[in-house]
Amino acid sequence: MSDILVSEQSAAGASGRPSGRLLEVEDLRVEFRTRDGVAKVINGVTYHVDAGETLAVLGESGSGKSVTAQTVMGILDTPPGFVTGGQVRFHGKDMLGMSFEERRRIRGEGIAMIFQDALSALNPVFTVGFQIAEQFRVRRGMSRSDAKKRAIEMLDQVKIPNAKGRFSSYPHQFSGGMRQRAMIAMSLALDPEVLIADEPTTALDVTVQAQIMDLLAELQRERRMGLILITHDLGVVADVADRIAVMYAGRIVEEANVYDLYAKPAHPYTIGLINSIPRLDEKGQELRTIKGLPPNLMNIPPGCPFNPRCPMAQPVCREKVPPLLQVGAGRASACHFAEELVNRD
Amino acid sequence: MGRYLLRRLLQLIPVFIGTTFLIYWLVWSVPGDPFAGKCGERPCPDSFVNKMTEKFKLDEPLVVQYGNYMKNLFQGDFGQTFGGREIGDIIATSYPNTLKLALVALAVEAVIGLTAGVLTGLRRNGFLDNLVLVSSLFLIALPIFVIGFVAQWLLGVQWGIVKPTVSSEMRLSELIVPGFVLGSASMAYIARLARTSIAENRRADYVRTAIAKGLPMRRVVGIHLLRNSLIPVVTLLGTDLGALMGGAIVTEGIFQVNGIGQQVYRAIITKESATVVSIVVVLVLVYLLMNLVVDLLYAALDPRIRYE
Amino acid sequence: MSDPSAASIVSTPPAEAPNEIGAPTNAGLPENARKEKPRGLLGDAWRDLRRKPLFWISAAFIVLFLLMTAFPSLFTSGDPENGNLQNSLVGPSSEAWFGYDFQGRDVFARVIHGTRASIVVSLLSVLGVLLFGGAMGIVAGYRGGWVDALLSRIADIFFGLPFVLGAIVILTTFNGSGTSNSKAEIMGLVSISLIVLGWPVVMRLMRSSVLATKEADYIVAARALGAGTGRIILKHLLPNCLAPLLVYGTILVGSYIGAEATLSFLGVGLKSPVVSWGIMINEAQSLIRVAPYLLFFPAGFLVTAVLSFVMLGEAVREALDPKLR
């Protein structure tokens, strides 16, 4: 019952040439159709990740970062979610056009995902060991004992002490950090090329957060995986990301490597985010916020979605949606005034 | 686990004593004259009254009577009817019939209820869904004697598909219709519980994870989803078995099954107090023990509640 | 009667997934955007309920039955208790829509008048069960400790009695063949039996509701602000625990109508001269081959009444369930 790794077939890519990109999302559009109306959750998202690099997708709740990841994995709830445009390419082949079976085989082996709340993400009635070994048994056809051995190895790799004993423990018997490690072990069992981590540390204590991020970084290095880190936490991102894509109202509003983004953000939203981080050397000053609230996705205002809250808003912003354009080497921004922002001192 | 078991057993004892004493009091003490109507129109002769008073120790305080009775019971002596029949025999001949009927009812309600519930839970809002919803509503709402009556009349009398009443051999084929009637309301509850449980769990995070792992849908549903969703259903089935083993007075009456429900009903009507108490004691004990078994079953199925 | 499980079935079109996208905001919206007043759970529930056709149908039937209970003469001028033997077993006709029974009594009149017994007994019993069981549940849940343990054990004792069995024992003890109680006494006795056997379920329901909300932050806050126990219970705890009780109570009325009929059917419930559907069905048993209509009409009313309450309860449950929103 073993599956043939999809990458062998799609290495040639759609056009016959090997595509350099490991995973690519292009102009993805997703909407949610509900009783109260249609919400445009993703409005033309484009990003990519290559082997060995970490892309951080940064955004507030409701920005669409998780939904994009779910669409990539193919676990979007359909209904009410519907993909209305765009492509998701893995090794150059569009997954959205694939059959269910083809897509299923990529999951776990090509692309894997870990979630925010390990307690609810793991099945409460099966042992952790069972859930890891399951991958080996079902998808690689291993025997029970072999799968168990491999599962214990995985638990070791994620640095869970007493891996052998912990094999028979249930999820609720672990602490938060250990549970997250177990989930990581489960996701890496089949040696995927891409790992999507959807807010993996949001529910954890700060110290545990650091440990988990270190673990992820180490595992990524060893396996040369592409890592997509979805988060709203600017602090987490700074340490581990190579590139950052900032999302707002279902769009990428800025994309840059981590140094450029922090040093000189090229979008008012990013500027606002970075400015809002409280700094020790500004004791006694008022906290800076971005005034207003994210837009109602059933009724997005015309023009740039950020314009109601933007301190730099001009009439053009209310009329035309700014496209995501390159504004420097390896960086892009979706703002009519991006050039000026990049070139300011 | 052992401590949990011990604790539950200890809780069981006062409840057992309470319920059985309550029944004893209701049956022996409250009516005033335990011999009313025993001897036809006239009051009973003194010799009879004296003999019975001695036999059942009726001139002692109630608590002593009760204590005595329980002592005998646990030594295997279920007492005798006013006419001298061994109550233990009555129970021994009729209870197995009740159990047989109960098991058939359980099987019917499990098979039909689970199938209906699982199918509609996985795929909501089809024709099947509405059919199951409406029919389960009817089965729950109709009193059991109406269902029994209609089933007996339609299938037994009008269409003649089955015999209207059950023979003394209690063949399995004869028990299917009474079993269906007996289990009808529970079947409906099971179907709806399974449906809701599955529909709710389908959106659960762990199902999403299982899909994200790339497992085949067959496994996601058959192993991950069902194993979780069916926990409440299985425990409901267990509880129901306990209730079924409590005898089905109405169903046994309609289909003429010589089970313990019939015996206790007759005993109540004819004021065979000793019989009533003995049978009820047995039924209550069985019910309480079944509840305990169901609790253990629940703990066995759901690891989260094991370590209380 | 077993207690209703969590499943719910009223077949209204299910809500598509709740809007999980973004809270409606005013940022960037034009001035004439609709401003929605925040509604409570009951307000939402009522709005939902209004849209379900099943709700209106059941409610209509229930109103009809209540009218029959209060003013039977509005519906029939026949005499439910006395009949003319010459009319014995005469079938339905234009004069007597439901025919006559064995003693020549007008079946239609009996069915209409029988509504009162069935409905009154059930409503009274449910009220009693809710009040008593609810009170016990609140005390047990709120106080906890040994009070809870004691009350729970007491509830278990009554829980351990099989329903039909317990009812038969109670009723034959107090209303046996030797006694002759008045109509009101008989109805009262049946109600008491139903209450005595039914309160443990309500107690457990209320208790688990209370246990769930007891530690809620707003309760702790109220206590911190100095609210006394009584005020906390009445103003904060109760409104949040009422929903399941409301649903259960409505369905229970239907259940108890059936239960009363079952007991009358067994001959231990209401008896002549009281008229009830259960009694009529009992009497119709032996005559079913010659006069099936004797069973059909009261059974039909019985089934309709039970269904109406059960469906209403289901509709209310669905409307109150925030998860289905």
Side-chain angles (χ1 to χ4, degrees):
Chain A
M1 256 212 290
S2 62
D3 296 325
I4 304 172
L5 199 51
V6 167
S7 56
E8 287 176 2
Q9 298 167 312
S10 61
S15 52
R17 282 179 288 113
S19 167
R21 303 269 195 240
L22 188 48
L23 176 66
E24 239 182 314
V25 174
E26 186 175 334
D27 198 33
L28 187 65
R29 289 168 193 278
V30 174
E31 54 185 44
F32 272 61
R33 298 175 193 159
T34 73
R35 190 166 58 176
D36 296 320
V38 174
K40 295 193 188 296
V41 185
I42 314 271
N43 302 302
V45 163
T46 302
Y47 61 62
H48 68 271
V49 74
D50 295 321
E53 74 164 342
T54 301
L55 169 73
V57 178
L58 191 69
E60 298 171 70
S61 312
S63 56
K65 51 194 198 302
S66 288
V67 174
T68 314
Q70 286 171 10
T71 312
V72 168
M73 281 303 281
I75 57 177
L76 187 67
D77 273 339
T78 313
F82 290 94
V83 177
T84 51
Q87 289 196 345
V88 177
R89 288 192 293 269
F90 183 61
H91 283 292
K93 196 153 175 238
D94 180 23
M95 293 203 290
L96 297 177
M98 286 182 187
S99 72
F100 182 84
E101 265 304 295
E102 284 181 289
R103 223 166 157 193
R104 175 184 79 78
R105 268 182 252 141
I106 299 181
R107 293 189 206 122
E109 270 194 8
I111 312 177
M113 188 159 171
I114 60 176
F115 302 94
Q116 173 176 340
D117 182 7
L119 184 58
S120 60
L122 291 169
N123 196 327
V125 301
F126 293 126
T127 63
V128 160
F130 173 92
Q131 297 185 54
I132 302 178
E134 190 180 24
Q135 292 287 64
F136 296 114
R137 275 195 301 126
V138 173
R139 305 208 44 203
R140 290 276 154 81
M142 287 188 185
S143 72
R144 211 172 267 269
S145 48
D146 282 340
K148 178 168 180 179
K149 250 184 284 186
R150 293 280 283 128
I152 296 177
E153 279 171 28
M154 293 303 307
L155 287 173
D156 258 332
Q157 278 192 41
V158 295
K159 309 223 175 39
I160 290 181
N162 184 21
K164 194 146 176 237
R166 291 304 231 166
F167 179 88
S168 334
S169 294
Y170 290 94
H172 68 275
Q173 296 176 287
F174 283 76
S175 70
M178 289 291 146
R179 244 195 317 269
Q180 194 60 277
R181 289 173 193 268
M183 187 155 67
I184 293 174
M186 186 171 75
S187 66
L188 298 181
L190 302 179
D191 225 355
E193 297 177 76
V194 176
L195 178 65
I196 304 178
D198 190 352
E199 307 228 35
T201 56
T202 305
L204 303 171
D205 293 338
V206 176
T207 43
V208 181
Q209 259 186 30
Q211 292 170 0
I212 299 292
M213 291 313 304
D214 283 344
L215 176 68
L216 278 176
E218 187 184 318
L219 290 168
Q220 183 212 16
R221 261 197 317 272
E222 285 170 13
R223 294 154 176 261
R224 272 205 43 93
M225 281 189 313
L227 176 62
I228 300 181
L229 179 63
I230 299 174
T231 179
H232 62 269
D233 188 339
L234 285 158
V236 162
V237 160
D239 268 339
V240 290
D242 296 316
R243 279 182 304 115
I244 303 179
V246 180
M247 279 188 73
Y248 186 80
R251 287 190 173 80
I252 308 264
V253 294
E254 181 167 3
E255 192 180 332
N257 72 55
V258 60
Y259 301 105
D260 287 339
L261 194 90
Y262 277 88
K264 189 159 283 168
H267 190 282
Y269 179 57
T270 321
I271 296 175
L273 283 180
I274 294 183
N275 283 345
S276 66
I277 302 177
R279 293 172 52 142
L280 281 175
D281 54 350
E282 291 179 355
K283 241 169 69 167
Q285 312 243 10
E286 231 178 70
L287 289 175
R288 278 173 288 193
T289 59
I290 308 177
K291 69 171 168 51
L293 291 164
N296 179 358
L297 293 169
M298 297 211 198
N299 207 343
I300 301 183
C304 174
F306 188 62
N307 87 67
R309 312 166 72 183
C310 184
M312 296 175 46
Q314 303 291 323
V316 63
C317 302
R318 282 186 271 278
E319 290 154 23
K320 275 182 55 186
V321 179
L324 187 66
L325 293 175
Q326 210 174 2
V327 289
R331 64 182 304 185
S333 168
C335 177
H336 293 301
F337 306 104
E339 293 262 346
E340 288 142 37
L341 288 170
V342 162
N343 293 324
R344 76 187 190 280
D345 48 55
Chain B
M1 186 64 125
R3 262 191 6 175
Y4 181 66
L5 188 56
L6 193 62
R7 200 154 49 99
R8 292 285 284 114
L9 273 174
L10 284 177
Q11 279 177 354
L12 197 147
I13 295 177
V15 175
F16 177 67
I17 294 180
T19 313
T20 49
F21 185 72
L22 186 64
I23 287 287
Y24 196 89
W25 172 72
L26 267 178
V27 172
W28 279 108
S29 177
V30 175
D33 177 14
F35 301 116
K38 288 247 153 299
C39 310
E41 296 291 306
R42 294 158 299 134
C44 289
D46 280 339
S47 56
F48 179 72
V49 172
N50 288 338
K51 191 165 133 210
M52 289 296 140
T53 305
E54 234 238 81
K55 185 160 138 175
F56 295 108
K57 302 207 175 348
L58 293 175
D59 42 7
E60 310 248 9
L62 190 67
V63 187
V64 175
Q65 281 183 43
Y66 172 75
N68 233 331
Y69 168 76
M70 290 309 261
K71 186 173 64 121
N72 289 337
L73 191 77
F74 279 101
Q75 289 169 345
D77 176 12
F78 286 85
Q80 291 160 343
T81 66
F82 281 118
R85 267 183 77 194
E86 283 294 332
I87 297 177
D89 287 342
I90 297 179
I91 296 180
T93 46
S94 58
Y95 208 18
N97 293 336
T98 296
L99 286 180
K100 231 171 151 180
L101 182 60
L103 287 173
V104 172
L106 192 74
V108 170
E109 77 190 33
V111 167
I112 300 184
L114 277 177
T115 315
V118 170
L119 284 180
T120 52
L122 289 178
R123 200 178 338 154
R124 302 184 83 168
N125 312 316
F127 166 72
L128 184 65
D129 199 36
N130 286 320
L131 178 68
V132 167
L133 288 181
V134 172
S135 52
S136 63
L137 180 60
F138 268 85
L139 287 177
I140 291 178
L142 298 185
I144 205 173
F145 72 95
V146 171
I147 298 180
F149 234 168
V150 170
Q152 184 184 48
W153 190 62
L154 267 183
L155 295 170
V157 177
Q158 278 290 75
W159 298 336
I161 301 179
V162 294
K163 285 205 292 264
T165 57
V166 174
S167 69
S168 48
E169 290 125 34
M170 306 254 312
R171 275 189 295 264
L172 217 60
S173 52
E174 296 171 344
L175 288 178
I176 294 195
V177 172
F180 177 88
V181 169
L182 186 54
S184 54
S186 301
M187 180 182 344
Y189 281 126
I190 287 180
R192 297 167 71 202
L193 181 61
R195 180 182 179 277
T196 305
S197 189
I198 288 183
E200 274 176 4
N201 274 281
R202 268 178 79 200
R203 307 252 155 196
D205 283 350
Y206 65 85
V207 171
R208 189 183 56 177
T209 306
I211 300 178
K213 275 160 78 170
L215 296 171
M217 279 312 270
R218 221 177 34 233
R219 191 178 168 90
V220 172
V221 170
I223 304 225
H224 286 264
L225 181 59
L226 283 186
R227 179 71 175 70
N228 272 280
S229 319
L230 294 185
I231 292 179
V233 178
V234 170
T235 47
L236 182 62
L237 279 172
T239 313
D240 206 48
L241 183 59
L244 286 172
M245 299 210 292
I249 295 181
V250 175
T251 313
E252 286 180 9
I254 293 181
F255 291 97
Q256 309 272 354
V257 174
N258 181 24
I260 208 154
Q262 281 293 84
Q263 294 299 332
V264 76
Y265 179 63
R266 258 180 244 150
I268 296 175
I269 301 298
T270 56
K271 297 224 175 270
E272 283 286 348
S273 317
T275 315
V276 173
V277 175
S278 286
I279 293 183
V280 171
V281 166
V282 169
L283 293 182
V284 166
L285 189 62
V286 167
Y287 177 73
L288 290 175
L289 287 176
M290 268 311 290
N291 273 358
L292 189 58
V293 167
V294 169
D295 276 348
L296 294 177
L297 183 66
Y298 193 26
L301 289 176
D302 189 343
R304 285 170 291 186
I305 73 162
R306 268 180 221 167
Y307 299 92
E308 284 181 7
Chain C
M1 309 285 152
S2 45
D3 41 335
S5 53
S8 156
I9 65 168
V10 175
S11 48
T12 50
E16 280 131 43
N19 177 11
E20 41 192 350
I21 309 312
T25 77
N26 292 324
L29 287 179
E31 272 77 63
N32 59 358
R34 194 161 48 116
K35 282 211 175 94
E36 297 216 352
K37 252 183 18 189
R39 298 174 305 240
L41 185 62
L42 284 180
D44 266 347
W46 174 237
R47 193 186 75 140
D48 239 351
L49 215 49
R50 273 190 312 198
R51 289 199 260 174
K52 296 183 204 273
L54 221 50
F55 167 73
W56 292 113
I57 298 177
S58 344
F61 272 112
I62 290 177
V63 167
L64 195 64
F65 283 120
L66 287 175
L67 276 176
M68 283 185 204
T69 303
F71 308 112
S73 43
L74 276 181
F75 296 88
T76 177
S77 52
D79 186 349
E81 293 180 23
N82 304 303
N84 191 339
L85 279 174
Q86 286 183 326
N87 289 328
S88 172
L89 295 184
V90 170
S93 64
S94 53
E95 287 130 25
W97 294 345
F98 289 177
Y100 295 92
D101 71 358
F102 190 64
Q103 291 168 292
R105 297 176 289 199
D106 183 348
V107 175
F108 184 68
R110 279 175 72 74
V111 169
I112 298 288
H113 282 262
T115 313
R116 174 177 293 180
S118 307
I119 299 273
V120 166
V121 167
S122 317
L123 282 179
L124 260 173
S125 312
V126 170
L127 210 61
V129 161
L130 288 181
L131 285 174
F132 186 62
M136 297 282 263
I138 291 183
V139 171
Y142 196 71
R143 291 303 232 78
W146 65 269
V147 175
D148 182 14
L150 180 67
L151 289 179
S152 294
R153 292 294 84 72
I154 295 180
D156 283 345
I157 290 178
F158 285 90
F159 215 64
L161 281 176
F163 184 86
V164 178
L165 199 62
I168 297 180
V169 171
I170 295 177
L171 286 169
T172 47
T173 304
F174 292 103
N175 190 31
S177 44
T179 60
S180 60
N181 295 312
S182 72
K183 240 175 165 177
E185 279 175 345
I186 296 179
M187 280 169 60
L189 269 172
V190 174
S191 293
I192 292 181
S193 326
L194 292 175
I195 294 177
V196 162
L197 292 165
W199 72 269
V201 178
V202 175
M203 186 255 188
R204 279 193 190 177
L205 207 57
M206 191 57 141
R207 176 179 176 270
S208 56
S209 272
V210 169
L211 284 178
T213 40
K214 192 170 68 159
E215 301 304 325
D217 285 342
Y218 60 89
I219 300 283
V220 178
R223 228 180 281 142
L225 285 170
T229 306
R231 186 181 168 82
I232 291 184
I233 291 183
L234 279 177
K235 222 170 172 247
H236 296 283
L237 222 45
L238 214 45
N240 288 286
C241 302
L242 274 185
L245 235 61
L246 195 62
V247 171
Y248 184 66
T250 314
I251 298 181
L252 197 63
V253 176
S255 253
Y256 274 4
I257 295 177
E260 177 274 313
T262 309
L263 292 176
S264 303
F265 170 78
L266 289 172
V268 296
L270 302 174
K271 298 184 206 223
S272 294
V274 178
V275 183
S276 93
W277 298 326
I279 295 176
M280 294 177 71
I281 296 178
N282 189 352
E283 290 170 355
Q285 267 191 87
S286 43
L287 297 164
I288 195 174
R289 293 201 201 193
V290 292
Y293 64 88
L294 284 180
L295 170 69
F296 182 66
F297 290 117
F301 267 65
L302 178 69
V303 167
T304 311
V306 175
L307 272 175
S308 306
F309 279 98
V310 172
M311 288 199 296
L312 180 69
E314 288 293 326
V316 171
R317 189 215 303 263
E318 276 206 0
L320 282 174
D321 185 355
K323 281 188 280 181
L324 288 176
R325 212 160 297 288

